[in-house]
Amino acid sequence: MIIFFDDRPFRIVRTNELTAAETSDFDHIVDLRLEKLQKSMFTGHVLFLNATSTTAIQAINLLEKELPKEMLSVTLATREKADVEEKVKSLYKVIKAAGGVVVKGDKWLFMFRRKKWDLPKGKLDKGENSKKAAVREIEEETGVKALVRDKICTTWHTYTMNNNRILKRTKWYLFDCLDDSAMQPQAEEQIEKLEWYTPSEAKSILINSFSSIRYVVDSLKKIQNFKEQ
């Protein structure tokens, strides 16, 4: 599970899923069996070992109170991943959304919205499943008709609305472009323009995007590289 707090990733992983290579990338490693969780620990890329539901909630409450400027990412390693995730979700009202990456030949569809490059996505309507919602949102926001191929990943991000703590879950899918003859940005959603870019070309525009969108793109690249091996 990966949650974005103000565009900074907060991951919950199983302890046995961490590789030696990944572990070496952290600036700080803290064993929560040996040290009490403190705000000063949230600097750079930090890994917390032996996390529990209680320490996960403590960490989130600290981040929501005031996000440390020095923090780049947080990873909680736990042997109780399912329990920790359920406890975290219980803190929020969960809103479900879906979106995707549409492929046409060797190019991917991106949109420029609110001064950032983004991918088409939106909330599920009542009774709608994620795949249908993603197809609908893509057509509404871009005018492009697309066909679902594969699941890419799931992202979560937090915000406050009407004094409620919201956790937005977005399921991301890979799509084939069926018809882009009616392609047009949806003005009501403040989408200014739509562009097709190769993955290589997308590197430069994604500098002006969100960490969650870069995570989706990186996840798709990993899937494609795996299939090519």
Side-chain angles (χ1 to χ4, degrees), residues 73-92:
S73 73
V74 173
T75 299
L76 297 184
T78 177
R79 291 179 174 84
E80 308 159 4
K81 186 171 182 283
D83 291 340
V84 170
E85 289 179 349
E86 286 307 309
K87 194 66 176 179
V88 168
K89 291 175 193 176
S90 72
L91 298 174
Y92 299 90

Side-chain angles (χ1 to χ4, degrees), residues 141-220:
E141 293 190 338
T142 71
V144 173
K145 295 183 184 296
L147 177 68
V148 178
R149 196 196 306 175
D150 299 307
K151 172 83 178 292
I152 301 173
C153 63
T154 300
T155 60
W156 304 75
H157 77 269
T158 65
Y159 59 96
T160 301
M161 183 173 65
N162 299 326
N163 294 320
N164 290 319
R165 299 165 83 181
I166 307 296
L167 184 62
K168 189 174 183 180
R169 185 205 73 185
T170 305
K171 288 189 176 182
W172 296 95
Y173 299 92
L174 176 64
F175 289 84
D176 287 322
C177 175
L178 296 179
D179 183 6
D180 67 342
S181 60
M183 189 169 84
Q184 184 174 353
Q186 187 180 21
E188 307 93 89
E189 289 295 323
Q190 301 178 47
I191 303 168
E192 297 178 42
K193 58 182 175 180
L194 304 168
E195 297 288 351
W196 294 99
Y197 290 111
T198 65
S200 179
E201 292 169 339
K203 288 180 182 178
S204 61
I205 67 160
L206 288 172
I207 293 171
N208 181 29
S209 187
F210 303 97
S211 294
S212 57
I213 298 301
R214 289 188 285 270
Y215 175 80
V216 174
V217 170
D218 287 345
S219 297
L220 177 54

Side-chain angles (χ1 to χ4, degrees), residues 72-149:
L72 297 176
S73 73
V74 173
T75 299
L76 297 184
T78 177
R79 291 179 174 84
E80 308 159 4
K81 186 171 182 283
D83 291 340
V84 170
E85 289 179 349
E86 286 307 309
K87 194 66 176 179
V88 168
K89 291 175 193 176
S90 72
L91 298 174
Y92 299 90
K93 177 182 179 182
V94 176
I95 291 179
K96 299 176 180 179
V101 179
V102 183
V103 178
K104 179 185 177 184
D106 65 343
K107 295 190 174 185
W108 299 351
L109 181 62
F110 291 91
M111 59 171 58
F112 192 68
R113 168 166 48 189
R114 301 185 185 102
K115 309 304 177 186
K116 296 275 189 180
W117 286 99
D118 205 345
L119 292 168
K121 63 184 181 301
K123 297 176 186 176
L124 274 61
D125 286 341
K126 188 175 180 179
E128 191 175 37
N129 66 37
S130 296
K131 288 183 179 179
K132 288 183 179 179
V135 170
R136 174 183 54 75
E137 286 290 340
I138 287 169
E139 185 165 2
E140 288 178 0
E141 293 190 338
T142 71
V144 173
K145 295 183 184 296
L147 177 68
V148 178
R149 196 196 306 175

Side-chain angles (χ1 to χ4, degrees), residues 19 45 54-55 133 228:
T19 65
H45 298 285
T54 300
T55 51
E228 288 171 3

